[in-house]
Amino acid sequence: MNQSERFDALLRAALLEAQRLDWAGVLEGPLPEPAFSRRYLRRRDALLQNPFPVLRPLWQRALRAAVWMLVAAGIALGGLWLNPSTRAWVEQVIFHRYPEVDEYRFSGDPEDVGDLGNIRPSYVPEGFVETEAVEFMGDWHIIYQNEDGTRITLYIIATVDGSSLGFDNEHSTRSEITVNGMSGQLYTATSSEFSSRLILSDETRHCVYSLTSTIATDALIKMAESLGAVSQ
């Protein structure tokens, strides 16, 4: 071993010793538990409570699920289909609810969608002004803001194949709503630190409106009631 190699070996040993001393308290004590997600902890608890579940054959489970889905769909849609606004919502929107996220996927013909850029609410809560309006591939993202920095976000999304909307569902309660003949969903925040959201399907313009803010849901509904075409 020449002088250069001996120097490299001594330097490596010194660095390793320094690292050992810096981390001695962590390595010698119990390791902290990782910050597991809530979804992981729920699945882990379920597995510990029933580590050896009795499973039906895959074909039997699939058949059972399909039967119940048909029964539920028949009961629900049989009555709802008589309502024109609800029928439009079902035709244009596919809804998926996951443990932590709600997702809406839209379907429709792009040829049916016109210019959505001139749609605005005639009512805006006092103190709020439009600060931004951005168009992306036919959809619109519009922001209203007051002096305190509170925001109201309006998305106008064309209901065409491939369009979708997804967001966290853990901090709000969902309920069905109809505004000016448009069916939709109202997500009411569980506390003031989280945002509420109103989603409506407009069959006439072939689009979906999404209003989001920490302000009261009554104000969001009032804004939705005033949506319409304005002169640019």
Side-chain angles (χ1 to χ4, degrees):
M1 181 181 295
N2 57 36
Q3 185 174 358
S4 177
E5 291 173 339
R6 286 196 297 272
F7 176 79
D8 290 342
L10 288 172
L11 179 60
R12 181 175 183 274
L15 292 174
L16 289 174
E17 180 63 12
Q19 287 293 312
R20 187 188 69 79
L21 293 174
D22 288 343
W23 292 93
V26 175
L27 296 175
E28 294 173 3
L31 293 177
E33 183 175 351
F36 295 118
S37 68
R38 282 174 289 181
R39 183 178 182 184
Y40 169 83
L41 292 174
R42 288 196 299 267
R43 298 182 69 179
R44 186 181 70 178
D45 291 342
L47 180 61
L48 292 175
Q49 292 176 9
N50 187 16
F52 304 104
V54 178
L55 300 178
R56 297 186 180 88
L58 183 60
W59 66 267
Q60 188 175 355
R61 283 182 286 156
L63 180 60
R64 178 185 177 90
V67 169
W68 279 111
M69 287 177 65
L70 287 174
V71 171
I75 294 173
L77 295 180
L80 294 177
W81 204 255
L82 299 177
N83 185 321
S85 61
T86 302
R87 183 168 65 249
W89 174 267
V90 172
E91 289 174 346
Q92 296 179 17
V93 183
I94 299 173
F95 171 65
H96 294 282
R97 187 171 184 86
Y98 300 105
E100 298 173 357
V101 174
D102 276 10
E103 180 186 66
Y104 294 85
R105 291 191 174 275
F106 312 125
S107 63
D109 187 349
E111 297 298 326
D112 295 333
V113 182
D115 181 12
L116 304 177
N118 66 341
I119 300 175
R120 294 290 191 281
S122 59
Y123 166 79
V124 177
E126 184 177 357
F128 283 86
V129 295
E130 182 179 319
T131 59
E132 186 176 343
V134 179
E135 184 267 342
F136 180 72
M137 298 181 65
D139 298 335
W140 282 84
H141 175 228
I142 304 160
I143 294 178
Y144 300 88
Q145 188 168 329
N146 64 9
E147 292 183 352
D148 297 332
T150 303
R151 288 188 171 192
I152 305 171
T153 303
L154 169 62
Y155 285 105
I156 306 175
I157 307 170
T159 52
V160 299
D161 290 337
S163 297
S164 64
L165 177 67
F167 48 86
D168 166 47
N169 62 21
E170 292 187 290
H171 306 295
S172 59
T173 56
R174 180 171 61 95
S175 58
E176 295 183 359
I177 190 171
T178 301
V179 176
N180 291 347
M182 298 180 292
S183 289
Q185 304 289 328
L186 177 63
Y187 290 79
T188 304
T190 53
S191 68
S192 58
E193 62 183 310
F194 300 110
S195 295
S196 297
R197 184 185 299 265
L198 173 61
I199 302 173
L200 294 171
S201 177
D202 188 336
E203 180 186 11
T204 303
R205 295 189 176 93
H206 303 280
C207 67
V208 164
Y209 307 118
S210 173
L211 281 160
T212 307
S213 182
T214 55
I215 66 173
T217 55
D218 289 346
L220 293 180
I221 295 172
K222 192 171 181 179
M223 287 182 69
E225 291 173 339
S226 69
L227 284 168
V230 297
S231 57
Q232 297 288 344

